[in-house]
Amino acid sequence: MSDDHASSLISAEVRHVEALLESRGLLGAGEIDTRIDEFLAGGTPANGARIVAHAWTDPGFAARLLADANEAIREVGLSMAGGLQEQRLKVVANTAEEHNVVVCTLCSCYPIALLGPSPSWYKSEAYRSRVVRDPRGVLAEFGLELPAATRISVWDASAESRYMVVPRRPAGTDGLTEPELAGLVTRKGLIGTAAV
Amino acid sequence: MSRINDVGGMSGFPAIIEEPDEPPFHADWEAHVFALNGALIKRGVYNLDEFRDAQERLPVQEYLAASYYERWFAAIRTLLAEKGVATPDELHVPHD
Amino acid sequence: MSRTTELAPGMRVRTRATDPVGHTRLPRYARGAVGVLVERAGAHPLADERARGRATEPHPVWHVRFAAADLFGSGDHTVTVELWEDYLTPVEES
């Protein structure tokens, strides 16, 4: 069976269930499309990059961010209230001594309302099974070779909080504006599988 | 009981694959399944923990063979049947 | 669950070692292990109960830090797991 054929079979099954739910009043006409559009127009890694760039340039904000991220991100016009309910955000910052990396070993918890959809590798058993046990090896596979002296702290999103990493500010970026700094930050940096 | 979703520390899974473009969905039906689940939770047909539980209860071999959103769709059908919204037969395209 | 000791940051706790019948949010790799409470992570209805369709009052949740060597027998990193208080028992300091 080709992938296309399998995909068209499951497409038909999904449409069938949607039609059934519409007929029973459990789904509004157009509700699915609206939800998809809202989701795709929602969170984005650019939100996280903005937060990080602001934390790099404003130590007071950085301190507030680590102490109470939900309150602090309101200062830059963002919130964790975009999903089904406001979720607690826990922000952790990398230092010269310690590198943080985030995983959800039990499912795929991720700050979607803030950062948008997670990458497929984040949801894979390959990542989830190994990063808690051998983070140094997993990070090396991502091309991130940490000095042996750097402590690694893995965070398992096993309950209700969602997590974001503040990477270290790269050297030689003193002259950059906040938007330019934000442009350096990647989604992997916000998860902890890249340096920035 | 130990469930197949609980993989932290397990060995034997393949190498991590990074997709070049990392699309949020790989087919339209995946986006529909995602939105359908959100709509049903918002309506209170079931809650997020029941949804996770329903995925975890899938037969292990079926779970491992399924893609991420195939698991979601299987869990949605399980819950719709268990909640009495529809019979399992009604939740499948009729075969001639 | 009745508890005689109030949990507080810095306290050492042992996680539940048993294997529950249904849905739970205590990962298998962190069962029966001793870790240190880092900070409170709010309070939420227990996922184990909600998965059975039961509504419960919010229960405290904690970030609990484990040494990898205590979980896996090797490793120099730490793993911080977010756990409901229901899964935790204070370790008596001797």
Side-chain angles (χ1 to χ4, degrees):
Chain A
M1 186 185 291
S2 74
D3 283 354
D4 282 353
H5 185 52
S7 189
S8 75
L9 283 180
I10 194 165
S11 293
E13 294 288 340
V14 173
R15 281 198 306 273
H16 173 78
V17 170
E18 280 179 35
L20 182 76
L21 292 171
E22 279 187 31
S23 74
R24 301 204 171 167
L26 285 168
L27 204 57
E31 185 176 348
I32 293 291
D33 288 337
T34 305
R35 281 193 158 268
I36 294 170
D37 291 345
E38 284 173 358
F39 172 64
L40 294 175
T44 157
N47 289 336
R50 265 178 60 206
I51 294 168
V52 167
H54 196 52
W56 283 346
T57 54
D58 182 342
F61 174 75
R64 293 192 293 281
L65 184 65
L66 300 183
D68 184 346
N70 291 70
E71 278 305 311
I73 66 173
R74 291 183 209 283
E75 296 178 36
V76 291
L78 295 169
S79 98
M80 288 293 286
L84 295 167
Q85 58 178 16
E86 173 152 11
Q87 292 173 307
R88 178 172 178 273
L89 180 66
K90 173 70 180 165
V91 175
V92 292
N94 292 341
T95 64
E97 293 80 33
E98 182 174 32
H99 181 89
N100 295 281
V101 59
V102 178
V103 64
C104 173
T105 63
L106 295 174
C107 50
S108 54
C109 296
Y110 185 80
I112 286 175
L114 186 68
L115 302 184
S118 61
S120 290
W121 60 259
Y122 181 84
K123 298 183 278 202
S124 70
E125 281 88 9
Y127 176 72
R128 291 162 45 218
S129 63
R130 287 172 49 214
V131 76
V132 281
R133 183 153 188 157
D134 179 23
R136 203 172 289 275
V138 167
L139 295 179
E141 278 179 52
F142 279 99
L144 179 58
E145 303 271 0
L146 292 171
T150 303
R151 294 194 312 270
I152 299 178
S153 183
V154 182
W155 296 81
D156 191 345
S158 49
E160 302 291 328
S161 302
R162 300 295 176 263
Y163 296 77
M164 194 184 87
V165 174
V166 176
R168 293 176 68 199
R169 181 173 175 164
T173 58
D174 287 354
L176 298 190
T177 64
E178 225 175 279
E180 286 169 339
L181 288 170
L184 303 175
V185 181
T186 69
R187 178 162 66 180
K188 281 163 67 181
L190 299 170
I191 299 171
T193 55
V196 186
Chain B
M1 278 170 284
S2 298
R3 289 173 163 194
I4 191 59
N5 65 297
D6 186 359
V7 297
M10 272 180 75
S11 64
F13 287 108
I16 297 163
I17 295 167
E18 282 189 81
E19 297 173 320
D21 49 350
E22 294 182 339
F25 301 111
H26 296 76
D28 279 351
W29 70 264
E30 293 189 348
H32 279 245
V33 166
F34 175 86
L36 183 55
N37 183 53
L40 292 168
I41 289 176
K42 192 177 170 213
R43 264 187 178 66
V45 175
Y46 52 80
N47 67 42
L48 182 57
D49 299 278
E50 290 175 306
F51 173 64
R52 289 180 181 139
D53 178 64
Q55 287 190 61
E56 295 165 12
R57 287 189 280 124
L58 286 172
V60 170
Q61 283 155 318
E62 186 182 327
Y63 182 99
L64 287 174
S67 71
Y68 185 74
Y69 284 109
E70 283 171 352
R71 292 171 191 169
W72 279 42
F73 188 49
I76 289 169
R77 287 211 274 215
T78 297
L79 286 166
L80 289 174
E82 288 178 357
K83 298 286 182 180
V85 170
T87 66
D89 277 354
E90 288 172 327
L91 291 163
H92 288 79
V93 174
H95 291 286
D96 298 325
Chain C
M1 179 187 268
S2 67
R3 185 184 299 289
T4 52
T5 315
E6 275 297 303
L7 298 185
M11 195 177 276
R12 278 155 40 89
V13 292
R14 184 180 297 279
T15 59
R16 186 183 64 196
T18 51
D19 188 4
V21 169
H23 175 80
T24 190
R25 298 296 290 185
L26 171 58
R28 194 183 327 187
Y29 73 81
R31 279 187 201 153
V34 174
V36 176
L37 298 178
V38 179
E39 67 176 39
R40 268 281 295 273
H44 297 276
L46 183 64
D48 309 43
E49 295 291 329
R50 281 185 311 196
R52 294 164 180 79
R54 298 180 201 146
T56 63
E57 74 282 10
H59 296 206
V61 183
W62 290 85
H63 297 291
V64 187
R65 181 157 299 156
F66 300 91
D70 290 339
L71 302 174
F72 306 115
S74 64
D76 58 4
H77 60 286
T78 62
V79 183
T80 308
V81 190
E82 195 175 325
L83 299 172
W84 267 271
E85 206 166 276
D86 306 64
Y87 308 149
L88 307 174
T89 309
V91 174
E92 298 301 327
E93 305 291 345
S94 54

